[in-house]
Amino acid sequence: MTKTIRILGIESSCDETSVAILEDGKILANLIANQEVHSKYGGVVPELASRAHQQNIIPTCVEALKQANLELHEMDAIAYTQGPGLLGSLLVGSSFAKGLSLGTGLPLLEVNHMQAHILAHFIKDNESTPELPFLCLTVSGGHTQIVLVEAPLKMKIIGQTIDDAAGEAYDKVAKMLGLPYPGGPLVDQLAQKGNPKAFQFTAGKVKGFDFSFSGLKTNVLYFLKKKQAEDQGFIEMNKEDLCASIQNTICSNLINTLEKAAKKYGVKQLAIAGGVSANSELRKRLKDLESKGYKTHIPKFSYCTDNAAMIAMVGYFKYLEKDFGSLSRIPSPRSTF
Ligand code: KG4
Ligand code: ZN
């Protein structure tokens, strides 16, 4: 009988402190401490995020072990987010992971956060698992990428945003509409009650399979300024239609580009990942591609936004390859794969 492999995962790249325990890809614990402190500032304040990580990381880890009914020495390795992300936040998670590794002798596994969003699809209790090769549209607060996945650890970015990420676009227009941070989920909720054809907005046109969302932000800003000058109550009166129209623009752009890439690469398996893959319209649009002969994969809702289970999942694949990390490796805010 083969030995089970238990990975302790640590995620601290942005404003969620998360610790998970995975046994052969099955979750035994996946705890997330959210940081409320940022909402009143309209965005993540890096220094406050690192301080909150410092406060949260030990209790979250202790609780995860308790929930899994396991002790540290029963783990096989410690996986942590090496990047990309906020440097101060990454330092808390990486230092904690290295401390645990030094204290226990357990090997370290360095994980790329964007790769982790994609491999969240391989956590055991998802509805479906993509077959290789597949294309993944990874859409988060800091990144928007189309990735060709040939093997769990063999990925190639074939398209990405040249400016703002899709999640960033959601959050910035939400702020213009007077919604608190993070605005993405709120725009999604309001959009469901609005008319997506009410207003015409445009996402940037770029070559190949790249994206551009900074023009959309300016487009919405000037439109709102003009309309508010005519009628002070314009935003309040039209919030749902505005959200639906903006959401329509973002999702159409994302899905059309993914479909274009799928045709070019001849790939029939399509997936979405990252925080914005929690979006109801994006999930629906991806599913609609099934009528065109694609097999689509949507991660379980709780694996879309940042969590340590996905970090442990990459750790598991790296453990199988004996691709261990080192105590001297420093976290990298812009690391890529
Ligand atoms: O992957 P994630 O949790 O963190 C990063 O790695 O950035 O993504 C966070 C982003 C935020 O921009 C948030 O507004 C967006 O995901 N988001 C959504 C939804 N849920 C989260 N955007 C649109 N619709 C949603 N339902
Ligand atoms: Zn993320």
Side-chain angles (χ1 to χ4, degrees), residues 166-174 183-184 187-188 247 250-251 276 279:
E168 198 178 351
Y170 262 104
D171 295 338
K172 284 179 176 168
V173 296
V187 172
D188 187 9
Q247 176 143 297
I250 296 176
C251 292
V276 184
N279 185 270

Side-chain angles (χ1 to χ4, degrees), residues 310-326:
M310 67 184 196
I311 304 300
M313 194 66 234
V314 181
Y316 174 73
F317 285 116
K318 287 199 152 189
Y319 186 92
L320 296 179
E321 303 259 305
K322 297 190 171 40
D323 183 1
F324 297 114
S326 95

Side-chain angles (χ1 to χ4, degrees), residues 8-85:
L8 181 83
I10 297 165
E11 155 64 24
S12 73
S13 67
C14 191
D15 61 340
E16 269 101 13
T17 320
S18 181
V19 179
I21 296 166
L22 245 71
E23 188 176 78
D24 290 338
K26 198 170 139 271
I27 292 187
L28 300 183
N30 184 27
L31 295 182
I32 302 168
N34 289 302
Q35 303 181 358
E36 296 303 328
V37 64
H38 309 287
S39 64
K40 65 177 177 228
Y41 298 101
V44 176
V45 183
E47 182 56 31
L48 293 179
S50 345
R51 288 178 200 208
H53 283 307
Q54 279 182 325
Q55 280 174 352
N56 294 340
I57 203 150
I58 295 175
T60 311
C61 183
V62 169
E63 195 51 40
L65 286 163
K66 206 158 117 192
Q67 213 176 78
N69 207 13
L70 290 166
E71 308 257 345
L72 253 186
H73 68 82
E74 293 176 279
M75 301 296 116
D76 291 287
I78 300 162
Y80 72 94
T81 309
Q82 195 268 337

Side-chain angles (χ1 to χ4, degrees), residues 98-110:
K98 287 175 189 175
L100 285 183
S101 168
L102 260 177
T104 56
L106 292 171
L108 283 171
L109 299 157
E110 295 156 0

